Short mmCIF file of all heavy atoms in Angstrom, two decimals:
data_model
loop_
_atom_site.label_atom_id
_atom_site.label_comp_id
_atom_site.label_asym_id
_atom_site.label_seq_id
_atom_site.Cartn_x
_atom_site.Cartn_y
_atom_site.Cartn_z
N MET A 188 -26.41 -24.72 10.74
CA MET A 188 -26.63 -23.32 10.39
C MET A 188 -26.61 -23.06 8.96
O MET A 188 -25.67 -23.37 8.30
CB MET A 188 -25.61 -22.49 11.16
CG MET A 188 -25.82 -21.00 11.04
SD MET A 188 -24.64 -19.88 11.77
CE MET A 188 -24.50 -20.60 13.35
N PRO A 189 -27.71 -22.44 8.32
CA PRO A 189 -27.67 -22.29 6.89
C PRO A 189 -26.69 -21.19 6.47
O PRO A 189 -26.38 -20.22 7.17
CB PRO A 189 -29.14 -21.79 6.65
CG PRO A 189 -29.61 -21.38 7.93
CD PRO A 189 -28.88 -22.04 8.93
N GLU A 190 -26.09 -21.40 5.39
CA GLU A 190 -25.09 -20.36 4.97
C GLU A 190 -25.92 -19.21 4.19
O GLU A 190 -26.88 -19.50 3.43
CB GLU A 190 -24.15 -21.07 3.87
CG GLU A 190 -23.20 -22.03 4.62
CD GLU A 190 -21.96 -22.27 3.82
OE1 GLU A 190 -21.58 -21.45 2.98
OE2 GLU A 190 -21.29 -23.24 4.09
N THR A 191 -25.42 -17.99 4.38
CA THR A 191 -26.06 -16.95 3.77
C THR A 191 -24.96 -16.01 3.15
O THR A 191 -23.77 -16.18 3.52
CB THR A 191 -26.87 -15.97 4.76
OG1 THR A 191 -25.86 -15.51 5.72
CG2 THR A 191 -27.89 -16.89 5.56
N THR A 192 -25.45 -15.08 2.33
CA THR A 192 -24.49 -14.17 1.71
C THR A 192 -24.32 -12.82 2.40
O THR A 192 -23.59 -12.00 2.05
CB THR A 192 -24.72 -13.92 0.27
OG1 THR A 192 -26.10 -13.41 0.17
CG2 THR A 192 -24.69 -15.31 -0.49
N ARG A 193 -25.11 -12.70 3.56
CA ARG A 193 -25.16 -11.43 4.22
C ARG A 193 -23.82 -10.91 4.64
O ARG A 193 -23.39 -9.77 4.31
CB ARG A 193 -26.15 -11.63 5.40
CG ARG A 193 -26.16 -10.28 6.28
CD ARG A 193 -27.18 -10.50 7.40
NE ARG A 193 -27.11 -9.21 8.24
CZ ARG A 193 -27.34 -9.21 9.45
NH1 ARG A 193 -27.64 -10.31 10.11
NH2 ARG A 193 -27.29 -8.05 10.20
N GLY A 194 -23.02 -11.77 5.27
CA GLY A 194 -21.60 -11.25 5.66
C GLY A 194 -20.82 -10.88 4.63
O GLY A 194 -20.03 -9.89 4.53
N ARG A 195 -20.91 -11.65 3.51
CA ARG A 195 -20.02 -11.42 2.30
C ARG A 195 -20.45 -10.12 1.60
O ARG A 195 -19.69 -9.35 1.23
CB ARG A 195 -20.23 -12.66 1.33
CG ARG A 195 -19.03 -12.81 0.55
CD ARG A 195 -19.08 -14.06 -0.26
NE ARG A 195 -19.70 -15.11 0.32
CZ ARG A 195 -20.68 -15.99 -0.32
NH1 ARG A 195 -20.91 -15.79 -1.54
NH2 ARG A 195 -21.17 -17.03 0.35
N ASN A 196 -21.90 -9.88 1.48
CA ASN A 196 -22.29 -8.62 0.98
C ASN A 196 -21.93 -7.32 1.72
O ASN A 196 -21.54 -6.40 1.27
CB ASN A 196 -23.86 -8.74 0.75
CG ASN A 196 -24.19 -9.64 -0.26
OD1 ASN A 196 -23.42 -9.95 -1.21
ND2 ASN A 196 -25.50 -10.11 -0.24
N GLN A 197 -21.96 -7.50 3.11
CA GLN A 197 -21.58 -6.43 3.85
C GLN A 197 -20.16 -6.20 3.72
O GLN A 197 -19.65 -4.94 3.81
CB GLN A 197 -21.91 -6.77 5.35
CG GLN A 197 -23.29 -6.62 5.72
CD GLN A 197 -23.62 -7.11 7.16
OE1 GLN A 197 -22.86 -7.66 7.78
NE2 GLN A 197 -24.86 -6.70 7.60
N ASP A 198 -19.32 -7.21 3.67
CA ASP A 198 -17.91 -7.08 3.45
C ASP A 198 -17.60 -6.32 2.10
O ASP A 198 -16.67 -5.44 2.03
CB ASP A 198 -17.18 -8.39 3.50
CG ASP A 198 -15.60 -8.26 3.42
OD1 ASP A 198 -15.10 -7.46 4.21
OD2 ASP A 198 -14.98 -8.90 2.61
N ARG A 199 -18.29 -6.64 1.06
CA ARG A 199 -18.05 -6.10 -0.16
C ARG A 199 -18.38 -4.59 -0.22
O ARG A 199 -17.99 -3.82 -1.06
CB ARG A 199 -18.84 -6.83 -1.22
CG ARG A 199 -18.23 -8.09 -1.65
CD ARG A 199 -18.96 -8.76 -2.71
NE ARG A 199 -18.37 -10.04 -3.03
CZ ARG A 199 -19.08 -11.18 -3.22
NH1 ARG A 199 -20.38 -11.10 -3.23
NH2 ARG A 199 -18.57 -12.38 -3.49
N ALA A 200 -19.24 -4.08 0.64
CA ALA A 200 -19.68 -2.77 0.75
C ALA A 200 -18.70 -1.83 1.43
O ALA A 200 -18.94 -0.64 1.43
CB ALA A 200 -21.05 -2.68 1.56
N ARG A 201 -17.59 -2.48 1.87
CA ARG A 201 -16.50 -1.68 2.59
C ARG A 201 -15.16 -1.87 1.88
O ARG A 201 -14.94 -2.87 1.19
CB ARG A 201 -16.36 -2.19 4.03
CG ARG A 201 -17.74 -2.17 4.75
CD ARG A 201 -17.95 -0.94 5.44
NE ARG A 201 -19.21 -0.95 6.15
CZ ARG A 201 -20.24 -0.03 5.89
NH1 ARG A 201 -20.03 0.89 4.98
NH2 ARG A 201 -21.34 -0.20 6.56
N VAL A 202 -14.32 -0.85 1.97
CA VAL A 202 -12.91 -1.02 1.56
C VAL A 202 -12.13 -1.00 2.76
O VAL A 202 -12.08 -0.01 3.54
CB VAL A 202 -12.57 0.28 0.66
CG1 VAL A 202 -11.13 0.18 0.17
CG2 VAL A 202 -13.55 0.47 -0.43
N ALA A 203 -11.36 -2.04 2.94
CA ALA A 203 -10.46 -2.20 4.05
C ALA A 203 -9.13 -1.51 3.69
O ALA A 203 -8.28 -1.94 2.95
CB ALA A 203 -10.13 -3.66 4.31
N GLY A 204 -8.86 -0.29 4.32
CA GLY A 204 -7.85 0.60 3.92
C GLY A 204 -6.46 -0.12 4.41
O GLY A 204 -5.47 0.23 3.74
N GLY A 205 -6.53 -0.97 5.35
CA GLY A 205 -5.33 -1.62 5.88
C GLY A 205 -4.88 -2.92 5.01
O GLY A 205 -3.85 -3.40 5.14
N GLN A 206 -5.78 -3.23 4.05
CA GLN A 206 -5.47 -4.44 3.21
C GLN A 206 -5.02 -3.93 1.85
O GLN A 206 -5.78 -3.38 1.07
CB GLN A 206 -6.83 -5.18 3.04
CG GLN A 206 -7.48 -5.63 4.34
CD GLN A 206 -7.06 -7.08 4.72
OE1 GLN A 206 -6.84 -7.86 3.84
NE2 GLN A 206 -7.19 -7.28 5.98
N ASP A 207 -3.78 -4.19 1.63
CA ASP A 207 -3.16 -3.54 0.37
C ASP A 207 -3.80 -4.11 -0.82
O ASP A 207 -4.02 -3.30 -1.78
CB ASP A 207 -1.68 -3.98 0.30
CG ASP A 207 -0.94 -3.36 -0.85
OD1 ASP A 207 -0.90 -2.04 -0.81
OD2 ASP A 207 -0.29 -4.02 -1.66
N HIS A 208 -4.38 -5.37 -0.88
CA HIS A 208 -4.90 -5.79 -2.14
C HIS A 208 -6.28 -5.23 -2.40
O HIS A 208 -6.67 -4.95 -3.51
CB HIS A 208 -5.13 -7.37 -2.05
CG HIS A 208 -6.10 -7.85 -1.00
ND1 HIS A 208 -5.69 -7.98 0.29
CD2 HIS A 208 -7.32 -8.16 -1.02
CE1 HIS A 208 -6.72 -8.36 1.01
NE2 HIS A 208 -7.82 -8.48 0.27
N GLU A 209 -6.99 -4.77 -1.35
CA GLU A 209 -8.35 -4.06 -1.54
C GLU A 209 -8.04 -2.63 -1.99
O GLU A 209 -8.67 -2.15 -2.81
CB GLU A 209 -9.15 -4.08 -0.18
CG GLU A 209 -9.73 -5.38 0.08
CD GLU A 209 -11.04 -5.29 0.87
OE1 GLU A 209 -11.63 -4.22 0.74
OE2 GLU A 209 -11.34 -6.16 1.51
N VAL A 210 -7.03 -1.98 -1.31
CA VAL A 210 -6.69 -0.65 -1.85
C VAL A 210 -6.22 -0.68 -3.31
O VAL A 210 -6.59 0.20 -4.16
CB VAL A 210 -5.55 -0.03 -0.88
CG1 VAL A 210 -5.12 1.40 -1.46
CG2 VAL A 210 -6.16 0.02 0.55
N ARG A 211 -5.41 -1.60 -3.64
CA ARG A 211 -4.91 -1.68 -4.97
C ARG A 211 -5.99 -2.01 -5.99
O ARG A 211 -6.10 -1.33 -7.12
CB ARG A 211 -3.87 -2.97 -5.10
CG ARG A 211 -2.79 -2.72 -6.14
CD ARG A 211 -1.72 -3.78 -6.06
NE ARG A 211 -1.76 -4.40 -4.77
CZ ARG A 211 -1.75 -5.76 -4.65
NH1 ARG A 211 -1.64 -6.50 -5.67
NH2 ARG A 211 -1.68 -6.35 -3.42
N TYR A 212 -6.98 -2.83 -5.62
CA TYR A 212 -8.11 -3.18 -6.51
C TYR A 212 -9.02 -1.92 -6.74
O TYR A 212 -9.30 -1.60 -7.86
CB TYR A 212 -9.03 -4.24 -5.86
CG TYR A 212 -10.47 -4.43 -6.53
CD1 TYR A 212 -10.52 -5.16 -7.63
CD2 TYR A 212 -11.49 -3.72 -5.97
CE1 TYR A 212 -11.72 -5.20 -8.36
CE2 TYR A 212 -12.68 -3.90 -6.65
CZ TYR A 212 -12.79 -4.59 -7.73
OH TYR A 212 -13.96 -4.74 -8.41
N GLU A 213 -9.26 -1.23 -5.65
CA GLU A 213 -10.03 0.03 -5.78
C GLU A 213 -9.35 1.07 -6.71
O GLU A 213 -9.91 1.87 -7.45
CB GLU A 213 -10.33 0.55 -4.38
CG GLU A 213 -11.50 1.54 -4.38
CD GLU A 213 -12.84 0.88 -4.86
OE1 GLU A 213 -13.16 -0.25 -4.51
OE2 GLU A 213 -13.60 1.57 -5.58
N ALA A 214 -8.00 1.21 -6.44
CA ALA A 214 -7.17 2.14 -7.28
C ALA A 214 -7.23 1.80 -8.69
O ALA A 214 -7.44 2.69 -9.46
CB ALA A 214 -5.74 2.25 -6.76
N ASN A 215 -7.02 0.54 -9.05
CA ASN A 215 -7.11 0.24 -10.42
C ASN A 215 -8.57 0.44 -11.03
O ASN A 215 -8.67 0.82 -12.07
CB ASN A 215 -6.62 -1.27 -10.58
CG ASN A 215 -5.23 -1.50 -10.39
OD1 ASN A 215 -4.41 -0.69 -10.65
ND2 ASN A 215 -4.89 -2.73 -10.03
N LYS A 216 -9.55 0.04 -10.25
CA LYS A 216 -10.86 0.29 -10.72
C LYS A 216 -11.25 1.66 -11.01
O LYS A 216 -11.97 1.92 -11.94
CB LYS A 216 -11.82 -0.39 -9.67
CG LYS A 216 -13.34 -0.33 -10.01
CD LYS A 216 -14.15 -1.00 -8.89
CE LYS A 216 -15.53 -0.68 -9.03
NZ LYS A 216 -16.34 -1.09 -7.91
N GLU A 217 -10.86 2.59 -10.09
CA GLU A 217 -11.15 3.93 -10.24
C GLU A 217 -10.15 4.81 -11.04
O GLU A 217 -10.25 5.98 -11.05
CB GLU A 217 -11.37 4.51 -8.82
CG GLU A 217 -12.57 3.95 -8.16
CD GLU A 217 -13.89 4.30 -8.85
OE1 GLU A 217 -14.12 5.47 -9.33
OE2 GLU A 217 -14.82 3.39 -8.94
N HIS A 218 -9.06 4.06 -11.50
CA HIS A 218 -7.89 4.85 -12.25
C HIS A 218 -7.39 5.91 -11.31
O HIS A 218 -7.24 7.10 -11.69
CB HIS A 218 -8.34 5.37 -13.52
CG HIS A 218 -8.99 4.39 -14.39
ND1 HIS A 218 -8.28 3.31 -15.02
CD2 HIS A 218 -10.27 4.14 -14.77
CE1 HIS A 218 -9.14 2.58 -15.71
NE2 HIS A 218 -10.25 3.02 -15.53
N ALA A 219 -6.95 5.56 -10.08
CA ALA A 219 -6.50 6.54 -9.03
C ALA A 219 -5.31 5.88 -8.41
O ALA A 219 -4.98 4.68 -8.69
CB ALA A 219 -7.57 6.78 -7.90
N SER A 220 -4.54 6.62 -7.70
CA SER A 220 -3.43 6.09 -6.90
C SER A 220 -3.86 5.51 -5.70
O SER A 220 -4.89 5.75 -5.17
CB SER A 220 -2.33 7.18 -6.75
OG SER A 220 -2.82 8.04 -5.70
N LYS A 221 -2.99 4.51 -5.11
CA LYS A 221 -3.23 3.96 -3.82
C LYS A 221 -3.45 5.10 -2.69
O LYS A 221 -4.25 5.05 -1.79
CB LYS A 221 -2.29 2.90 -3.46
CG LYS A 221 -2.32 1.71 -4.27
CD LYS A 221 -1.51 0.59 -3.77
CE LYS A 221 -0.14 0.79 -3.36
NZ LYS A 221 0.60 -0.34 -2.97
N ASP A 222 -2.54 6.08 -2.86
CA ASP A 222 -2.62 7.27 -1.82
C ASP A 222 -3.97 7.95 -2.00
O ASP A 222 -4.52 8.36 -0.95
CB ASP A 222 -1.54 8.08 -2.08
CG ASP A 222 -0.12 7.58 -1.58
OD1 ASP A 222 -0.16 6.65 -0.76
OD2 ASP A 222 0.80 8.12 -2.00
N ASP A 223 -4.51 8.10 -3.25
CA ASP A 223 -5.80 8.78 -3.36
C ASP A 223 -6.89 7.94 -2.73
O ASP A 223 -7.76 8.52 -2.10
CB ASP A 223 -6.22 8.92 -4.82
CG ASP A 223 -5.32 9.91 -5.50
OD1 ASP A 223 -4.73 10.75 -4.79
OD2 ASP A 223 -5.25 10.04 -6.86
N VAL A 224 -6.85 6.71 -2.85
CA VAL A 224 -7.82 5.75 -2.25
C VAL A 224 -7.80 5.89 -0.69
O VAL A 224 -8.77 6.02 -0.09
CB VAL A 224 -7.63 4.28 -2.75
CG1 VAL A 224 -8.53 3.32 -1.91
CG2 VAL A 224 -7.89 4.12 -4.22
N LYS A 225 -6.53 5.68 -0.13
CA LYS A 225 -6.38 5.95 1.33
C LYS A 225 -6.94 7.20 1.89
O LYS A 225 -7.50 7.29 2.95
CB LYS A 225 -4.97 5.66 1.64
CG LYS A 225 -4.51 4.15 1.54
CD LYS A 225 -3.09 4.01 1.95
CE LYS A 225 -2.83 2.53 1.79
NZ LYS A 225 -1.35 2.19 2.36
N SER A 226 -6.55 8.26 1.06
CA SER A 226 -7.05 9.65 1.43
C SER A 226 -8.50 9.66 1.39
O SER A 226 -9.14 10.24 2.34
CB SER A 226 -6.46 10.68 0.47
OG SER A 226 -6.95 11.98 0.69
N ALA A 227 -9.15 9.13 0.42
CA ALA A 227 -10.62 9.05 0.45
C ALA A 227 -11.22 8.29 1.53
O ALA A 227 -12.25 8.70 2.08
CB ALA A 227 -11.07 8.53 -1.04
N ILE A 228 -10.62 7.17 1.83
CA ILE A 228 -11.17 6.44 3.00
C ILE A 228 -11.03 7.26 4.26
O ILE A 228 -11.97 7.27 5.10
CB ILE A 228 -10.33 5.17 3.16
CG1 ILE A 228 -10.62 4.18 2.06
CG2 ILE A 228 -10.68 4.41 4.40
CD1 ILE A 228 -9.69 2.92 1.91
N LYS A 229 -9.89 8.01 4.48
CA LYS A 229 -9.80 8.71 5.65
C LYS A 229 -10.84 9.93 5.67
O LYS A 229 -11.40 10.36 6.75
CB LYS A 229 -8.36 9.40 5.76
CG LYS A 229 -7.36 8.33 6.23
CD LYS A 229 -5.97 9.02 6.36
CE LYS A 229 -4.97 7.99 6.76
NZ LYS A 229 -3.66 8.46 6.81
N SER A 230 -11.18 10.42 4.48
CA SER A 230 -11.99 11.56 4.31
C SER A 230 -13.45 11.20 4.50
O SER A 230 -14.17 11.88 5.20
CB SER A 230 -11.82 12.17 2.96
OG SER A 230 -12.63 13.30 2.83
N VAL A 231 -13.93 10.07 3.90
CA VAL A 231 -15.37 9.85 3.91
C VAL A 231 -15.70 8.56 4.63
O VAL A 231 -16.85 8.12 4.71
CB VAL A 231 -15.95 9.74 2.49
CG1 VAL A 231 -15.82 11.11 1.83
CG2 VAL A 231 -15.26 8.70 1.69
N GLY A 232 -14.74 7.82 5.12
CA GLY A 232 -15.05 6.47 5.81
C GLY A 232 -14.76 5.37 4.76
O GLY A 232 -14.34 5.55 3.67
N ASN A 233 -15.10 4.12 5.14
CA ASN A 233 -14.77 2.97 4.39
C ASN A 233 -15.93 2.35 3.55
O ASN A 233 -15.72 1.35 3.03
CB ASN A 233 -14.13 1.82 5.19
CG ASN A 233 -15.08 1.23 6.14
OD1 ASN A 233 -16.15 1.73 6.38
ND2 ASN A 233 -14.72 0.17 6.75
N SER A 234 -16.91 3.23 3.46
CA SER A 234 -18.02 2.77 2.59
C SER A 234 -17.62 2.74 1.09
O SER A 234 -17.08 3.83 0.61
CB SER A 234 -19.28 3.66 2.77
OG SER A 234 -20.18 3.43 1.69
N ARG A 235 -17.67 1.62 0.47
CA ARG A 235 -17.19 1.51 -0.99
C ARG A 235 -17.90 2.65 -1.84
O ARG A 235 -17.27 3.30 -2.64
CB ARG A 235 -17.43 0.18 -1.60
CG ARG A 235 -16.78 -0.03 -2.83
CD ARG A 235 -16.77 -1.54 -3.27
NE ARG A 235 -16.12 -2.46 -2.36
CZ ARG A 235 -14.89 -2.81 -2.27
NH1 ARG A 235 -14.10 -2.18 -3.07
NH2 ARG A 235 -14.39 -3.59 -1.35
N ASP A 236 -19.11 2.83 -1.78
CA ASP A 236 -19.85 3.82 -2.50
C ASP A 236 -19.39 5.24 -2.24
O ASP A 236 -19.16 5.92 -3.28
CB ASP A 236 -21.40 3.70 -2.27
CG ASP A 236 -22.07 2.52 -2.88
OD1 ASP A 236 -21.53 1.86 -3.81
OD2 ASP A 236 -23.11 2.19 -2.34
N LYS A 237 -19.16 5.56 -1.03
CA LYS A 237 -18.77 6.86 -0.74
C LYS A 237 -17.23 7.13 -1.14
O LYS A 237 -17.00 8.22 -1.62
CB LYS A 237 -18.77 7.13 0.82
CG LYS A 237 -20.24 7.29 1.32
CD LYS A 237 -20.28 7.60 2.83
CE LYS A 237 -21.68 7.70 3.32
NZ LYS A 237 -21.76 7.91 4.78
N VAL A 238 -16.44 6.06 -1.03
CA VAL A 238 -15.04 6.21 -1.49
C VAL A 238 -14.99 6.44 -3.05
O VAL A 238 -14.37 7.38 -3.55
CB VAL A 238 -14.21 5.00 -1.09
CG1 VAL A 238 -12.89 4.89 -1.73
CG2 VAL A 238 -14.04 4.93 0.45
N GLU A 239 -15.82 5.61 -3.70
CA GLU A 239 -15.93 5.69 -5.17
C GLU A 239 -16.38 7.14 -5.65
O GLU A 239 -15.93 7.77 -6.53
CB GLU A 239 -16.71 4.67 -5.72
CG GLU A 239 -15.97 3.30 -5.58
CD GLU A 239 -16.79 2.14 -6.19
OE1 GLU A 239 -17.91 2.31 -6.54
OE2 GLU A 239 -16.26 0.99 -6.09
N ASP A 240 -17.41 7.65 -4.88
CA ASP A 240 -17.90 8.95 -5.21
C ASP A 240 -16.93 9.99 -4.95
O ASP A 240 -16.73 10.99 -5.70
CB ASP A 240 -19.22 9.34 -4.34
CG ASP A 240 -20.46 8.54 -4.85
OD1 ASP A 240 -20.38 7.89 -5.82
OD2 ASP A 240 -21.36 8.45 -3.95
N GLU A 241 -16.23 9.86 -3.92
CA GLU A 241 -15.13 10.84 -3.52
C GLU A 241 -14.00 10.84 -4.59
O GLU A 241 -13.59 11.94 -5.04
CB GLU A 241 -14.43 10.59 -2.18
CG GLU A 241 -13.43 11.44 -1.69
CD GLU A 241 -13.82 12.91 -1.35
OE1 GLU A 241 -15.11 13.08 -1.29
OE2 GLU A 241 -12.99 13.69 -1.18
N LEU A 242 -13.65 9.70 -5.04
CA LEU A 242 -12.54 9.57 -6.12
C LEU A 242 -13.02 10.13 -7.44
O LEU A 242 -12.33 10.82 -8.11
CB LEU A 242 -12.08 8.11 -6.25
CG LEU A 242 -11.30 7.51 -5.07
CD1 LEU A 242 -11.17 6.01 -5.27
CD2 LEU A 242 -9.95 8.24 -4.93
N ASP A 243 -14.32 9.92 -7.65
CA ASP A 243 -14.92 10.53 -8.94
C ASP A 243 -14.95 12.05 -8.89
O ASP A 243 -14.74 12.65 -9.81
CB ASP A 243 -16.38 9.92 -9.11
CG ASP A 243 -16.43 8.47 -9.64
OD1 ASP A 243 -15.36 7.93 -10.04
OD2 ASP A 243 -17.53 7.88 -9.46
N ARG A 244 -15.31 12.57 -7.69
CA ARG A 244 -15.42 13.99 -7.51
C ARG A 244 -13.92 14.62 -7.68
O ARG A 244 -13.91 15.67 -8.26
CB ARG A 244 -15.95 14.26 -6.15
CG ARG A 244 -16.29 15.73 -5.80
CD ARG A 244 -16.88 15.92 -4.45
NE ARG A 244 -15.88 15.64 -3.39
CZ ARG A 244 -14.88 16.54 -3.03
NH1 ARG A 244 -14.72 17.71 -3.78
NH2 ARG A 244 -14.06 16.21 -2.03
N LYS A 245 -12.94 13.99 -7.16
CA LYS A 245 -11.71 14.49 -7.14
C LYS A 245 -10.97 14.34 -8.63
O LYS A 245 -10.15 15.10 -9.07
CB LYS A 245 -10.64 13.81 -6.18
CG LYS A 245 -10.88 14.21 -4.84
CD LYS A 245 -9.92 13.64 -3.74
CE LYS A 245 -10.07 14.26 -2.40
NZ LYS A 245 -9.10 13.63 -1.53
N GLY A 246 -11.33 13.18 -9.24
CA GLY A 246 -10.72 12.89 -10.58
C GLY A 246 -11.29 13.65 -11.63
O GLY A 246 -10.76 14.19 -12.56
#
């Protein structure tokens, strides 16, 4: 079976709210708190683009 990047790209498009390292990474990247990131995930879902837009809007 040939290796593709499809799964990896789909994974990068999401923020796993239950994974502390992903929440921490997104918080550092967006200069927000971990609680802000978790709140954004609950509010708009786990799409990385939507979470970042929500954090930009609040920040």
Side-chain angles (χ1 to χ4, degrees):
M188 185 182 308
E190 291 201 19
T191 66
T192 59
R193 180 176 170 208
R195 212 173 322 134
N196 289 339
Q197 287 176 343
D198 186 52
R199 287 185 182 137
R201 306 273 178 239
V202 180
Q206 303 264 334
D207 189 55
H208 65 278
E209 285 208 26
V210 173
R211 213 173 340 131
Y212 168 81
E213 199 62 40
N215 287 335
K216 181 179 167 189
E217 294 295 318
H218 306 291
S220 72
K221 290 194 308 185
D222 287 339
D223 288 342
V224 173
K225 287 183 179 183
S226 175
I228 292 169
K229 284 183 182 177
S230 180
V231 298
N233 67 348
S234 164
R235 190 170 302 275
D236 289 338
K237 288 181 180 178
V238 168
E239 290 173 359
D240 287 346
E241 179 72 6
L242 290 170
D243 288 342
R244 191 179 66 75
K245 286 184 176 181

